[in-house]
Amino acid sequence: MQEPIARNDRQRNIWRSGWFVLAAALAIGFALYMFLWEMRLPTEIDLQIHASYSVDFDFTDLHSITSRIAYPLWHVLVAILYQLGLPIDWSAAIITTFFRAVTFVFTYRLLNRISGGKLKTFWLAVCGLLVFIVTGVNLPNDTGLSVYRFVNGSPNVWHNPTQQAVISTMMICVPFLVWCGECFEQKLPESGDATMLPWWQVFMLAFLLGLNLMCKPTVMQAFLPAAFLMYLVELCRRPRNWRYFAQIVLAFIPAVICFLVQYLYYTGVVVPYTSGVDFGATAQTLWEAFRTMLMMNAFPIAALICCYRKGLFKDRLFVLAVLMVLISMLEVAFFRETGERAGHGNFGWAAMSSSYFFWVVMLGKYAASLKEMWKTAPLWRKALFVIAAAVLLWHLVSSVGYYVFMLSTGNAF
């Protein structure tokens, strides 16, 4: 009985730690500064555009609500603050910073979980801050473009507030799904073929999936097919546990329906003359999608090579992270918008969100195994860890360069 009590005390101490409080304050302060700065840029970016939509939000007009069905949550919250009397720039910045704070907190929690409690709070805080600002790597080029445009994406997209909202809820709903799977595994030896989840977990999963979709459907572009593939394999392995898998399907049905309705909006079926979708891949689109994935995830891929062990693919967090990255990469290569939204790159948002989640999973595994592996691993594996650390430093330098570029040029792209 003493071990669980000690673990609970340690978890409480983590939340009270001065390192966590300091890291959270730095992250939230930086986020608020960035968003207030972006609201005052001379050229319109996504934050300013979405804020202007919130100014026009009318809670008594059904069309005003349904026209934002693809991403209502951020606009509703900003509209509430604005109609309560706050200036629109402060309203937009505060709500966006709130979602960034949620992202930081749940990133910190997930890093602690993945590392198995092996990391001290100082290093957890450092890892959380690193993921909080990370971008893709910047390759030398003579185009003068920033890292964001050259890579065509980043795990952190500061200029888009709805993307910040959807990442924050992704860090809640994806780990919750994995936790449901762990609960099933724990009950399986006792209940056998009749093993089922408590129904409150099923309803909570359905709610969290819907909450994520209310922020934006982009995470679900990758998460829905990734979860489907993962559970299809598990169902083939355990067909007699169909009751449990039926519960998971029931939890996902409302999200799938909502997702389809939102993309009917995106493609102009609900709102005419908005956009269309062109399907098909060329060698160029495949290469660009692969290059973007590689540059956004250079360190997670290096960490995967370092930390790979037999049985790693039994880790649902890892499996979902890898599947989401691969599926979103294919979506970027095969899907393009036409019409009014041509060139907006909305099919690329899933790749950026998936990359963020992949970063958290692999950074947690890398940091947790670094000390032990450095003592016991053979020389060749130590060399791999050094190479991964160099790639991580490359990401960090690229990230600092990106923010310097934004602040010095007034260009968020």
Side-chain angles (χ1 to χ4, degrees), residues 15 21 38 45 65 105 185 211 254 267 293 318-319 393:
W15 295 112
V21 173
E38 288 183 358
I45 57 174
I65 299 172
V105 169
E185 295 283 354
L211 181 66
T267 55
M293 183 275 294
F318 171 77
V319 169
L393 181 61

Side-chain angles (χ1 to χ4, degrees), residues 177-369:
L177 175 66
V178 173
W179 179 69
C180 289
E182 291 172 352
C183 292
F184 165 74
E185 295 283 354
Q186 291 172 0
K187 297 176 64 176
L188 187 60
E190 180 181 348
S191 303
D193 295 345
T195 303
M196 295 177 67
L197 295 174
W199 280 103
W200 75 264
Q201 291 185 4
V202 179
F203 293 131
M204 178 60 71
L205 176 59
F207 168 77
L208 291 175
L209 294 171
L211 181 66
N212 181 263
L213 282 164
M214 290 300 97
C215 296
K216 207 170 190 177
T218 49
V219 163
M220 290 297 159
Q221 286 176 208
F223 182 52
L224 288 177
F228 171 79
L229 289 175
M230 185 181 75
Y231 278 106
L232 180 62
V233 172
E234 292 196 16
L235 177 60
C236 292
R237 289 175 53 229
R238 295 186 175 122
R240 293 186 176 182
N241 292 114
W242 61 269
R243 297 172 183 84
Y244 160 68
F245 294 107
Q247 285 183 304
I248 298 297
V249 171
L250 287 174
F252 270 87
I253 284 177
V256 172
I257 294 173
C258 182
F259 176 82
L260 293 175
V261 170
Q262 287 176 311
Y263 266 92
L264 289 176
Y265 165 82
Y266 261 133
T267 55
V269 177
V270 176
V271 181
Y273 313 114
T274 301
S275 182
V277 178
D278 183 26
F279 178 81
T282 64
Q284 181 179 356
T285 61
L286 286 168
W287 161 244
E288 289 178 353
F290 175 77
R291 182 189 67 185
T292 294
M293 183 275 294
L294 186 63
M295 294 176 70
M296 283 196 295
N297 297 286
F299 168 75
I301 294 171
L304 171 58
I305 296 172
C306 293
C307 302
Y308 179 78
R309 295 289 184 275
K310 185 177 180 180
L312 183 60
F313 281 90
K314 293 181 181 179
D315 183 340
R316 289 185 177 89
L317 275 173
F318 171 77
V319 169
L320 282 172
V322 171
L323 286 175
M324 287 170 66
V325 167
L326 293 177
I327 290 169
S328 60
M329 180 186 71
L330 293 176
E331 288 174 346
V332 170
F334 279 86
F335 290 91
R336 286 165 299 282
E337 293 168 300
T338 61
E340 185 178 318
R341 295 182 186 267
H344 283 203
N346 284 306
F347 285 108
W349 293 123
M352 303 180 210
S353 304
S354 301
S355 295
Y356 184 91
F357 193 76
F358 190 33
W359 258 91
V360 175
V361 171
M362 293 316 304
L363 181 60
K365 291 184 178 296
Y366 177 85
S369 61

